Amino acid sequence: NVPDDVLKMTAKNGGVVMVNFATGFVLPNEVRDQGRWIRGDFRILVDHIEHIIKLAGIDHVGIGSDFDGIRSIPQGMDDVSYYPYLTQELLNRGYDKQQIHKILGGNMMRVLRETERVAKRLKQSNRP
């Protein structure tokens, strides 16, 4: 549910967009705009990931899921035990091990490390 212009800004600031698995967020606009509401399967998540990669780059996408806060999820993605399906679909679409690692957590870890680094620097600069 992140607008395309914000996706592009995310790439500029080094952030990560975490993909929410809610069907309403990952259905293609043309499907939603026609008033059709389908559940789809896990492949629509990979389509959504690819859209983010196209606009923001491989370094700026991650998996957010939100299993504890959504009602409708794509078929074949009932919980984290189904993540291998995402991994396989990314492999099927030509992504390599390093790229998949970034998507499945590496990008988020990079942002968290940077956040800790900045927090430490700010804390040190505010000491009396």
Side-chain angles (χ1 to χ4, degrees):
N1 65 334
V2 177
D4 288 353
D5 61 326
V6 174
L7 290 175
K8 293 173 186 175
M9 289 188 303
T10 301
K12 291 179 182 176
N13 73 15
V16 175
V17 173
M18 304 300 285
V19 174
N20 184 306
F21 289 6
T23 305
F25 292 151
V26 296
L27 278 175
N29 288 338
E30 57 273 8
V31 174
R32 281 195 313 267
D33 293 345
Q34 293 176 4
R36 295 185 352 218
W37 192 260
I38 60 169
R39 187 170 171 208
D41 67 18
F42 66 91
R43 289 175 192 89
I44 66 171
L45 293 173
V46 180
D47 293 343
H48 198 64
I49 289 167
E50 287 190 314
H51 177 75
I52 296 169
I53 291 169
K54 179 181 171 188
L55 295 176
I58 192 77
D59 294 324
H60 306 287
V61 63
I63 301 297
S65 74
D66 196 21
F67 286 122
D68 64 340
I70 58 177
R71 293 183 185 165
S72 177
I73 56 175
Q75 293 173 350
M77 202 47 51
D78 298 334
D79 58 46
V80 297
S81 71
Y82 291 78
Y83 278 21
Y85 294 115
L86 285 179
T87 302
Q88 185 60 56
E89 185 62 20
L90 289 164
L91 288 167
N92 292 349
R93 295 186 189 198
Y95 292 91
D96 63 32
K97 181 179 177 178
Q98 181 183 13
Q99 292 170 317
I100 294 169
H101 179 266
K102 288 179 177 187
I103 294 166
L104 296 182
N107 288 333
M108 190 66 219
M109 293 305 296
R110 173 186 49 80
V111 169
L112 289 173
R113 282 191 296 274
E114 178 64 12
T115 301
E116 288 178 339
R117 187 186 70 72
V118 170
K120 185 177 181 179
R121 186 187 82 227
L122 292 172
K123 185 177 179 180
Q124 288 174 348
S125 68
N126 288 326
R127 287 191 178 164

